[in-house]
Amino acid sequence: MAYSKTELLRRMSLNPWFGALPLAERKAMLAVAMLQPMHVGDVVYRKGDKQGGFYGVLSGTLRVSTLGEDGREGILSVMEAGNWFGETALLDGQPRPHDVTALEASELLVIAAADFKRLMRRNGFAHGITALLCTRVRSLFGLVEDTMLRSTRTRVARRLIALSRGDTTMALQARPKVQVSHEELAMMLGVTRQTLAKELKYFVHSGVLALGYGRIDIVAPDALLREGALA
């Protein structure tokens, strides 16, 4: 599907990070971005790859994951429309640190490595990338803190809150439904499905959540915030 630059700008600017960039930087990015369709299961890149560009999710959903020594997959995050990713390997020249796979039919905006390098010479874009990296670091430390110091129940609440805000997007307006299976949520938290089922049962009996097929409804968002110690 073809999109005008105006439509691309409107759609991508709904993302808090991209929308906060100066208009000139947003237009400069879209001027060099190429549209790339993705099918379910298509891989954007794998851990260890040394090629690729800077990517923006125009539509669809992607999974960021890695494999453990025992072959188990750990889901690190879920990226929805508006998210940008892939900057780290372009900045430090090191291999890609994880896998990125399409969970559904998606469309990506791809900025080639050479164009990314030229954009980095622009102060506005470089400052924006610095802000994006700071967001990544804060999120990473938050996950480490949760794993080390918080109960499984609190971790479940906090992860659902993050997913309701678009996970890596962290929009201010949360959604009442989270499209995630129990298996995927367990993989994100690094717990067994049995452990997750126990905590979800508590939230359902407390009137905080309702479970559907491939989704979790947040019935009492304020109570979920309290469970996640975020209220």
Side-chain angles (χ1 to χ4, degrees):
M1 181 176 179
Y3 297 92
S4 68
K5 294 298 183 183
T6 300
E7 175 63 10
L8 288 178
L9 182 64
R10 184 192 68 79
R11 292 179 60 166
M12 296 303 290
S13 294
L14 296 175
N15 172 265
W17 174 77
F18 188 77
L21 291 174
L23 180 59
E25 305 310 321
R26 284 179 278 159
K27 288 184 175 180
M29 290 173 65
L30 297 180
V32 296
M34 301 294 292
L35 186 65
Q36 177 179 324
M38 304 288 293
H39 298 100
V40 178
D42 282 354
V43 176
V44 182
Y45 55 73
R46 293 194 183 279
K47 183 177 181 178
D49 285 353
K50 296 183 178 181
Q51 297 181 346
F54 184 48
Y55 304 88
V57 185
L58 182 60
S59 66
T61 309
L62 299 132
R63 177 182 66 225
V64 181
S65 63
T66 189
L67 291 178
E69 293 180 355
D70 58 358
R72 288 191 305 163
E73 184 180 28
I75 298 179
L76 305 177
S77 64
V78 175
M79 290 183 294
E80 301 178 342
N83 287 171
W84 289 84
F85 64 96
E87 73 286 345
T88 304
L90 298 179
L91 292 170
D92 64 13
Q94 298 298 307
R96 300 288 180 174
H98 44 244
D99 302 338
V100 178
T101 310
L103 288 173
E104 59 185 359
S106 306
E107 295 172 301
L108 299 181
L109 294 175
V110 185
I111 296 178
D115 289 322
F116 180 87
K117 186 176 181 179
R118 282 190 285 269
L119 286 169
M120 283 297 293
R121 300 190 187 112
R122 302 170 62 103
N123 286 338
F125 180 78
H127 288 160
I129 291 296
T130 300
L132 184 60
L133 288 172
C134 288
T135 300
R136 306 263 199 245
V137 171
R138 288 180 182 274
S139 177
L140 175 61
F141 279 125
L143 290 174
V144 172
E145 180 181 307
D146 285 352
T147 302
M148 294 176 61
L149 303 176
R150 303 187 193 281
S151 68
T152 301
R153 183 167 298 167
T154 300
R155 291 175 59 208
V156 171
R158 291 169 72 89
R159 194 59 168 170
L160 288 173
I161 292 165
L163 288 169
S164 74
R165 294 174 177 170
D167 203 5
T168 55
T169 306
M170 291 311 295
L172 295 177
Q173 187 66 38
R175 294 166 301 189
K177 299 180 187 296
V178 174
Q179 297 294 330
V180 65
S181 69
H182 295 182
E183 181 179 4
E184 290 169 339
L185 184 56
M187 291 168 68
M188 291 179 190
L189 293 164
V191 300
T192 65
R193 288 194 63 178
Q194 292 80 4
T195 297
L196 176 63
K198 176 183 176 182
E199 300 303 340
L200 290 178
K201 183 178 181 180
Y202 163 81
F203 284 121
V204 170
H205 286 175
S206 300
V208 178
L209 302 176
L211 307 182
Y213 181 74
R215 77 170 197 272
I216 297 174
D217 298 344
I218 301 175
V219 180
D222 289 342
L224 189 64
L225 286 170
R226 287 193 294 273
E227 290 285 357
L230 295 174

